[in-house]
Amino acid sequence: MATSSPHKQSGNCLIEAKGLSKSFGAVKVLENVDLAVKEGEVVSVIGPSGSGKTTLLRCFALLEQPSDGAVIMRDKTIASPALPGEARQNAKAARGDIGMVFQHFNLWPHFNVLQNIVEAPIRVKGETRAVAEANAMRLLEKVGLSDKRDSYPSRLSGGQQQRVAIARALAMKPSVMLFDEATSALDPELKHEVLLVMRGLAEEGMTMLVVTHEMSFARNVGSRVIFMDQGQVVEDADPVAFFGNPKTDRAQRFLRQMQD
Ligand code: ADP
Ligand code: MG
């Protein structure tokens, strides 16, 4: 299979949705989704608004409970209505292993940058402040914000806030990072700095599931593209194949609209 990036393709399955369905009341938002993400893969999820992308990511992040099917991480069920007790137990261990970055940065406004990053490792993982701060400084360097450690979120640009949000998620040392339209709320000139950080993570081998409208990221950085429509995975393809020759009418229509 042709690939557009150097990611490991033969890794073990890290996290997986199996027969995943989700309804809100009578509204079926996800229908029988199967999606397995291997270690080191960067999977881009694209599709029209309302197709269920955010809900799928939130199920992976254990922020929504599936109505049917399961989320499985390293062969352990971490969410499933069929195995509620076992899943709840496994989810406890898995939660810190799954990082998520949202469209709106959700930083704590009353904490400075450093405090935003060290809060969870200290409280949830029991890291000492010294260890957490040393790790936070390393992460701030990685996202290019070493000089902002004492700044409050309101003094940062949207792009800087989003890079802090990425550092904050990485501080928990997750095995997989989920991004939900992490650049959609940003002005064009600020998207770039966030996409560069995401690209750097991908190149380091981080396993990533990335909901995005940035077709150039999906095409050039991702190792696989998932196209969703009306709560279903309609295409699951290599980026070169998908962008060169989408199989379904729905994907063709979507890509045409993205070019307008
Ligand atoms: P996308 O991210 O692809 O735009 P979403 O997952 O946000 O799609 O939403 C898919 C559908 O689910 C939409 O019709 C949305 O209105 C509905 N939905 C999402 N969250 C909820 C909720 N908490 N309650 C009711 N409906 C919801
Ligand atoms: Mg969404």
Side-chain angles (χ1 to χ4, degrees):
M1 188 167 78
T3 55
S4 59
S5 57
H7 306 292
K8 293 177 271 176
Q9 293 290 299
S10 56
N12 295 323
C13 180
L14 181 63
I15 193 164
E16 179 180 13
K18 236 184 190 165
L20 185 76
S21 296
K22 176 69 181 177
S23 300
F24 293 106
V27 185
K28 201 154 206 187
V29 172
L30 293 175
E31 208 173 340
N32 200 21
V33 170
D34 288 319
L35 172 56
V37 182
K38 289 180 189 165
E39 278 177 28
E41 263 194 316
V42 177
V43 178
S44 306
V45 180
I46 66 176
S49 178
S51 57
K53 305 180 298 295
T54 292
T55 304
L56 177 62
L57 233 60
R58 289 176 58 84
C59 286
F60 273 117
L62 305 174
L63 298 171
E64 299 284 357
Q65 281 300 314
S67 309
D68 202 359
V71 180
I72 296 160
M73 187 166 196
R74 293 201 175 94
D75 296 326
K76 286 191 172 156
T77 299
I78 59 173
S80 168
L83 293 169
E86 184 186 327
R88 204 176 311 122
Q89 205 54 38
N90 292 338
K92 273 188 201 160
R95 202 158 257 133
D97 216 14
I98 304 166
M100 183 152 175
V101 176
F102 302 86
Q103 180 172 355
H104 298 286
F105 331 117
N106 304 339
L107 298 176
W108 291 296
H110 56 291
F111 280 173
N112 70 23
V113 164
L114 195 68
Q115 290 165 329
N116 262 281
I117 298 173
V118 300
E119 176 71 9
I122 292 173
R123 286 228 192 174
V124 181
K125 286 198 136 176
E127 286 184 12
T128 64
R129 183 163 295 273
V131 166
E133 288 192 354
N135 190 42
M137 288 311 297
R138 187 181 60 76
L139 291 169
L140 281 175
E141 198 167 319
K142 190 205 259 309
V143 301
L145 291 172
S146 301
D147 56 331
K148 300 293 184 194
R149 53 171 281 170
D150 299 320
S151 301
Y152 283 82
S154 61
R155 307 305 295 264
L156 303 178
S157 73
Q160 290 171 333
Q161 288 184 54
Q162 192 61 300
R163 286 185 282 149
V164 173
I166 293 171
R168 183 178 60 173
L170 291 172
M172 291 296 281
K173 305 190 176 81
S175 300
V176 57
M177 285 282 283
L178 313 175
F179 292 87
D180 190 11
E181 298 198 24
T183 59
S184 293
L186 300 174
D187 292 335
E189 72 270 24
L190 300 180
K191 285 183 200 269
H192 181 67
E193 63 191 42
V194 175
L195 287 167
L196 269 180
V197 168
M198 291 169 64
R199 183 179 195 126
L201 273 182
E203 284 168 356
E204 284 174 13
M206 175 60 81
T207 307
M208 296 163 61
L209 190 54
V210 183
V211 172
T212 187
H213 289 300
E214 297 292 326
M215 293 302 121
S216 65
F217 183 94
R219 185 197 287 259
N220 300 320
V221 182
S223 37
R224 223 168 111 203
V225 177
I226 303 296
F227 174 69
M228 288 186 68
D229 195 22
Q230 298 183 351
Q232 293 177 317
V233 171
V234 176
E235 295 200 32
D236 180 344
D238 173 83
V240 175
F242 179 80
F243 287 103
N245 186 21
K247 288 199 182 66
T248 59
D249 289 346
R250 289 194 270 183
Q252 285 167 15
R253 216 176 312 129
F254 175 76
L255 287 178
R256 266 200 305 278
Q257 282 165 359
M258 293 302 289
Q259 284 161 359
D260 289 346

